[in-house]
Amino acid sequence: MFDDLGAGFAAFADPTYITLALAGVVLGTVVGVLPGIGPIGAMSVLLGMTTQLGPTGSLILFAGIYFGSTYGGSTTSILLNVPGEASSVVTALDGYEMTRRGRAGPALTVAAVSSFLAGTIAIFGLMMFAPWLSGVAVELGPPEYLALCVAGLLLLAALSTGSTAKAIVMICAGLAVGTVGIDPSGGDLRFTMGSSTLAEGFSFTALVMGVFGIAEVLTMAGRRWRPEPVRAPRLRELLPSRQETREAAPAAVRGSVIGFLLGLVPGPAAVLSTFASYVAERKISKHPEKFGRGAVEGVAGPEAANNAAAGAAFIPLLALGIPFAPTMALVLAALLLNGIVPGPTFIHDQPALFWTVIAAMYIANLMLLVLNLPLVGLFTRLLSIPPQALMPLVIGLCVVGVYAEGNSMFDVVVMLVAGLLGFVLRRVGFNLAPFVLAVVLQPTLETSLRQTLAYSDGDPGYVVGRPVTMVILGLVVATVALSAWRRWRSRRPLGLRA
């Protein structure tokens, strides 16, 4: 294993890979600092260019963006109480209070070092567990893959913020859109309305650039912007005290473990892990009253958790070929555009690609630690740039990217229509992440369902008799029921709660 990892590091003798890693972490930090864009928006805009970068270059760039955005989101949370990412909301609770007490520098340092520690642990876990899980996955059959796809979609609907019913509507819409084109079983055309252009289905690149890229531009156009005054700490103000270090270190380790475990669960793992870590730290602490008033553990734990979850999210994608998060759906799309199909045999078939990407993650994680603290002043100055100034650039990249991917003006039209629909759906409270994940999972879900029905010959005992399938479905039912109960309980009047 370590020989393979060494070969992965050796691949970085190619300056192209170093450049892509650096570009990814810088761009990821920028989109993390700027509220609203996020890693999904950045990846979707660049998705059309991945065919020119190749599978290795695409994975290096996207991994850098993903890790960088988790770093960047904490900067504005701590300095301005403005979370750049949803996963940085919890960090703002104590991070901004530390800033108000004149401890912004130590808060940023604790966040950066905790993120680096968690990222390193998660990448090591990916290196250890992904090959093992691939070996296990080879033994799984269509019922297990069907259960995993259903679990991913239902857990995303149940655990996402907002209405569960609206999330299910988006899942159904995504599955419907995914059926357009050629029937993989019989070869018949489905829902093409006589159009030969739709024989291959809707371009995923066009859809995702529309619902995340164009829709985000339209959303930013309607926002009022005002510059946020910010004072970045100087280098000599970054060091935490010994007491802060003693309190932050164990919290970062615990957050790393929590984030890694939750990163393996379908749904918004990075967000859930930060809340789970914060609650755990508050219960463990001998002084829970400090939380919300500048507790350093409230920064270290959540920041470690979201970075560990980001690294762990790659495990089910590379080992099973199933993305459990919207960002991983975009990584999957980048691989598919380059003719690479991740799954149980991916590591065996593409060892050079896998280990080069593992090495890239270590390098990107170190780059982020080295760059973020000295350049915190530069990154925070980005908040003085009006978001509207970025709109022409984003639209231009979207149009060029989607046209270059298929050389089709029809795909450009699909992107614009998807962007308009995505903007309207956002305004009425629909979350678009379940839609994207459903479009990606539809082929696997349909194929697994057909094969399961064929093998079982209509006998439900075939599925019931497979322990792994029943365990997966049982966990889904329990999680959905618990989520529904908590939502119902939170809406009850206080006087009626037990």
Side-chain angles (χ1 to χ4, degrees):
M1 179 175 62
F2 290 102
D3 289 340
D4 292 331
L5 181 61
F9 278 108
F12 277 82
D14 184 349
T16 303
Y17 291 163
I18 287 286
T19 303
L20 287 173
L22 181 60
V25 297
V26 171
L27 180 58
T29 303
V30 169
V31 299
V33 168
L34 295 174
I37 299 177
I40 298 178
M43 290 181 185
S44 63
V45 169
L46 298 174
L47 188 59
M49 303 179 184
T50 55
T51 52
Q52 285 76 41
L53 296 176
T56 305
S58 301
L59 273 181
I60 291 173
L61 179 65
F62 278 16
I65 291 173
Y66 194 26
F67 280 100
S69 65
T70 59
Y71 269 76
S74 63
T75 301
T76 50
S77 294
I78 291 170
L79 295 179
L80 296 171
N81 200 23
V82 178
E85 287 297 308
S87 58
S88 300
V89 170
V90 177
T91 305
L93 298 177
D94 286 283
Y96 184 62
E97 287 301 316
M98 290 184 69
T99 297
R100 295 181 63 184
R101 293 195 289 107
R103 303 298 292 168
L108 289 169
T109 300
V110 166
V113 175
S114 299
S115 298
F116 173 77
L117 172 65
T120 303
I121 292 174
I123 298 165
F124 184 77
L126 170 62
M127 186 175 70
M128 294 292 293
F129 289 110
W132 171 81
L133 185 58
S134 294
V136 173
V138 172
E139 305 299 325
L140 301 181
E144 286 77 21
Y145 275 92
L146 175 62
L148 284 170
C149 290
V150 172
L153 294 173
L154 289 183
L155 289 178
L156 183 62
L159 300 177
S160 296
T161 56
S163 169
T164 301
K166 289 181 177 179
I168 292 175
V169 170
M170 286 289 94
I171 289 172
C172 294
L175 294 175
V177 168
T179 60
V180 175
I182 299 176
D183 185 337
S185 176
D188 299 322
L189 294 179
R190 302 185 300 190
F191 312 114
T192 59
M193 296 172 288
S195 171
S196 59
T197 308
L198 287 176
E200 297 182 2
F202 289 105
S203 166
F204 178 77
T205 305
L207 288 173
V208 76
M209 282 189 178
V211 298
F212 287 120
I214 301 300
E216 183 60 41
V217 168
L218 296 175
T219 302
M220 286 194 298
R223 291 176 183 163
R224 294 185 61 186
W225 175 82
R226 61 184 180 87
E228 296 283 354
V230 58
R231 176 192 171 273
R234 299 172 183 173
L235 285 177
R236 64 173 179 270
E237 299 172 339
L238 293 174
L239 290 179
S241 65
R242 291 185 179 180
Q243 179 65 23
E244 288 170 332
T245 303
R246 284 195 296 266
E247 293 173 348
V253 174
R254 287 190 292 265
S256 300
V257 175
I258 292 172
F260 184 81
L261 294 176
L262 288 179
L264 303 174
V265 177
V271 178
L272 294 176
S273 64
T274 58
F275 283 95
S277 174
Y278 191 82
V279 170
E281 292 304 321
R282 190 167 184 173
K283 288 188 175 182
I284 292 172
S285 176
K286 296 179 181 179
H287 302 283
E289 68 279 359
K290 295 191 306 179
F291 285 79
R293 299 179 181 177
V296 71
E297 304 99 305
V299 175
E303 277 304 301
N306 67 27
N307 279 269
F314 282 88
I315 295 178
L317 171 66
L318 299 181
L320 301 174
I322 298 177
F324 280 173
T327 45
M328 292 300 102
L330 295 173
V331 175
L332 174 61
L335 287 172
L336 295 177
L337 287 173
N338 282 280
I340 303 294
V341 180
T345 62
F346 169 76
I347 298 175
H348 180 269
D349 296 340
Q350 303 285 341
L353 172 58
F354 176 76
W355 291 107
T356 301
V357 170
I358 293 292
M361 290 181 179
Y362 280 115
I363 292 172
N365 203 35
L366 181 61
M367 283 180 174
L368 284 165
L369 180 65
V370 173
L371 291 176
N372 269 259
L373 291 177
L375 299 181
V376 64
L378 175 63
F379 287 128
T380 52
R381 288 192 188 96
L382 294 173
L383 295 171
S384 63
I385 301 175
Q388 289 79 359
L390 302 175
M391 294 179 194
L393 176 62
V394 173
I395 292 177
L397 288 173
C398 287
V399 172
V400 171
V402 76
Y403 184 79
E405 190 256 329
N407 293 322
S408 170
M409 282 303 299
F410 178 77
D411 290 344
V412 176
V413 173
V414 169
M415 178 189 69
L416 296 176
V417 172
L420 182 60
L421 290 175
F423 169 71
V424 173
L425 290 171
R426 281 188 183 189
R427 293 294 297 269
V428 295
F430 282 87
N431 185 357
L432 298 175
F435 170 81
V436 172
L437 199 60
V439 173
V440 172
L441 290 179
Q442 187 275 332
T444 304
L445 191 150
E446 180 181 0
T447 302
S448 301
L449 177 61
R450 286 178 181 270
Q451 292 174 343
T452 301
L453 292 175
Y455 294 155
S456 66
D457 197 23
D459 180 13
Y462 175 76
V463 176
V464 175
R466 301 180 74 93
V468 176
T469 303
M470 297 311 298
V471 168
I472 294 172
L473 295 178
L475 291 174
V476 172
V477 170
T479 305
V480 172
L482 179 62
S483 176
W485 177 78
R486 284 183 173 177
R487 293 194 183 203
W488 172 78
R489 190 172 183 271
S490 65
R491 293 172 183 172
R492 296 174 66 197
L494 292 175
L496 296 179
R497 295 183 188 176

